[in-house]
């Protein structure tokens, strides 16, 4: 759980913001807390509240949620490989806690990511940060000072960088995949409008599939000096 | 019955979020994967992290410039082998100072 603390601290202010947004849009506190407790997927919850506020029907919101969260499919598959054979109960529990952040943190710790207890601990810390933050946001009134809120916005991205960069050192394969992904990701944001119109959840999935396929074709052998 | 509708919506969202998390975990028996697919999954964390970071990081703070400064600081610290906590606080501190000064 200790390893998951940076995620919990990163989630908390975002969850507070979610709680505040939900409240501002007239969603009862109990509903937004329940949503955080049962769905536990940040981006899709923000989107859901926005759609809800525009009066969109439940069916459409659920379909959008599904599209946004389909990217966890690849993460779950990758994590399943790291964890190896485990009882279905353990797998079901760990699967619930897969987020962009917990997945990234866990998968970059080769010495621990085969231990279900470690993965579950990271997930639990993140989960508590998210649910407690939502409760705080939807029940309290005031927010944080703007400059602090703004600086905290970088927290999760800085953590991603901290996770990503060590794995790039000494691995030509990983650097190649990183570079390709960077280019495609920029293209998907600033390229032709038919590309930029794709939702972020889809972009993550499509780009990941393309660059990982290229990586697997260009570098079929595991590197000896792989920093993985 | 607004409340029961809200509950249905939340339960529906929970179900469609849990399924893509659960199914690969339960169904993929990874020992039997062909090598090329194993390599594919080796790269997934790097690709996922990269698409999540860029370019969204630029819009994570009040101004793209402060985010870029924080990002570069975090990158340098991470490249220098500093631990995760230092990378994160260094990045946040960079944003904070930049926005305070400019």
């Amino acid at each position: 759980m200790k390893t998951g603390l940076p995620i919990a601290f990163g989630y908390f202010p975002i969850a507070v913001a979610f709680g505040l947004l939900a409240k501002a849009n007239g969603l009862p506190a109990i509903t937004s807390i329940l949503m955080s407790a049962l769905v536990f997927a940040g981006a899709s919850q923000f989107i859901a509240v926005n759609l809800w506020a525009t009066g969109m029907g439940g069916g459409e919101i659920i379909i959008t949620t599904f599209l946004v969260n389909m990217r966890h499919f690849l993460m779950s598959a990758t994590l399943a490989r790291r964890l190896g054979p485990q009882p279905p109960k353990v797998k079901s529990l760990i699967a619930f806690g897969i987020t962009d952040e917990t997945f990234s943190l866990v998968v970059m710790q080769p010495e621990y990511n085969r231990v279900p207890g470690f993965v579950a601990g990271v997930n639990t810390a993140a989960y508590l940060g998210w649910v407690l933050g939502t409760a705080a946001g939807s029940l309290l009134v005031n927010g944080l000072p703007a400059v602090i809120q703004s600086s905290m916005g970088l927290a999760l991205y800085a953590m991603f960088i901290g996770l990503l960069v060590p794995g790039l050192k000494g691995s030509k394969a990983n650097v190649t995949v990183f570079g390709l992904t960077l280019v495609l990701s920029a293209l998907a944001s600033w390229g032709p409008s038919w590309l930029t119109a794709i939702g972020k959840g889809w972009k993550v999935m499509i780009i990941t599939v393309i660059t990982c396929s290229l990586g697997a074709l260009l570098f079929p052998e595991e590197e000896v000096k792989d920093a993985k | 019955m607004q409340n029961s509708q809200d509950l249905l919506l939340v339960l529906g969202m929970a179900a469609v979020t849990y399924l893509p998390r659960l199914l690969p975990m339960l169904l993929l028996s990874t020992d039997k994967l062909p090598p090329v697919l194993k390599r594919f999954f080796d790269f997934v964390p790097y690709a996922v992290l990269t698409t999540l970071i860029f370019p969204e990081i630029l819009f994570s703070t009040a101004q793209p410039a402060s985010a870029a400064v924080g990002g570069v600081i975090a990158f340098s610290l991470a490249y220098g082998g500093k631990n995760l906590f230092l990378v994160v606080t260094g990045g946040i501190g960079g944003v904070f100072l930049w926005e305070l000064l400019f």
Side-chain angles (χ1 to χ4, degrees), chain A residues 20-201:
Chain A
L20 288 169
L21 176 84
K23 194 170 64 171
N25 282 298
L27 209 68
I30 181 74
T31 306
S32 49
I33 296 171
L34 203 64
M35 195 187 281
S36 284
L38 294 179
V39 180
F40 186 43
S44 63
Q45 291 181 223
F46 274 98
I47 296 169
V49 169
N50 277 323
L51 296 179
W52 191 83
T54 63
M56 193 182 265
E60 286 163 277
I61 297 181
I62 291 171
I63 291 171
T64 310
T65 305
F66 179 66
L67 295 180
V68 172
N69 290 332
M70 250 170 61
R71 68 184 188 285
H72 294 135
F73 193 92
L74 285 174
M75 301 181 202
S76 173
T78 305
L79 201 55
R81 189 189 159 207
R82 297 290 172 93
L83 280 167
Q86 302 291 344
K89 256 191 204 166
V90 173
K91 285 187 165 181
S92 312
L93 195 70
I94 287 177
F96 179 76
I98 298 174
T99 65
D100 300 334
E101 293 78 17
T102 58
F103 166 77
S104 307
L105 184 70
V106 162
V107 100
M108 292 298 180
Q109 320 252 345
E111 61 276 44
Y112 297 120
N113 62 27
R114 280 161 227 285
V115 186
F118 172 81
V119 184
V122 169
N123 290 0
T124 306
Y127 183 73
L128 290 177
W130 184 245
V131 176
L132 293 177
T134 307
S138 52
L139 297 173
L140 301 175
V141 195
N142 49 353
L144 295 160
V147 66
I148 300 208
Q149 233 172 19
S150 173
S151 327
M152 294 302 284
L154 191 89
L156 283 177
Y157 294 98
M159 192 184 79
F160 287 157
I161 290 176
L163 293 169
L164 171 73
V165 173
L168 297 179
K169 289 210 274 187
S171 168
K172 211 176 131 192
N174 290 345
V175 170
T176 307
V177 171
F178 166 73
L180 286 170
T181 310
L182 212 58
V183 171
L184 287 186
S185 200
L187 206 64
S189 286
W190 295 308
S193 56
W194 58 270
L195 261 179
T196 55
I198 303 171
K200 184 64 188 174

Side-chain angles (χ1 to χ4, degrees), chain B residues 5-78:
Chain B
Q5 275 192 1
D6 286 353
L7 186 66
L8 272 180
L9 171 65
V10 170
L11 290 179
M13 286 177 65
V16 297
T17 303
Y18 190 39
L19 278 180
R21 280 173 173 163
L22 180 66
L23 291 181
M25 192 68 102
L26 290 183
L27 302 181
L28 280 187
S29 111
T30 53
D31 297 336
K32 294 171 201 130
L33 284 180
V36 68
L37 217 56
K38 282 189 181 174
R39 279 306 271 164
F40 176 90
F41 284 121
D42 280 342
F43 291 121
V44 167
Y46 299 99
V48 167
L49 277 173
T50 309
T51 50
L52 290 175
I53 295 169
F54 193 78
E56 276 70 18
I57 186 172
L58 295 175
F59 314 115
S60 67
T61 65
Q63 16 162 321
S66 68
V69 168
V72 168
I73 292 175
F75 193 97
S76 315
L77 289 171

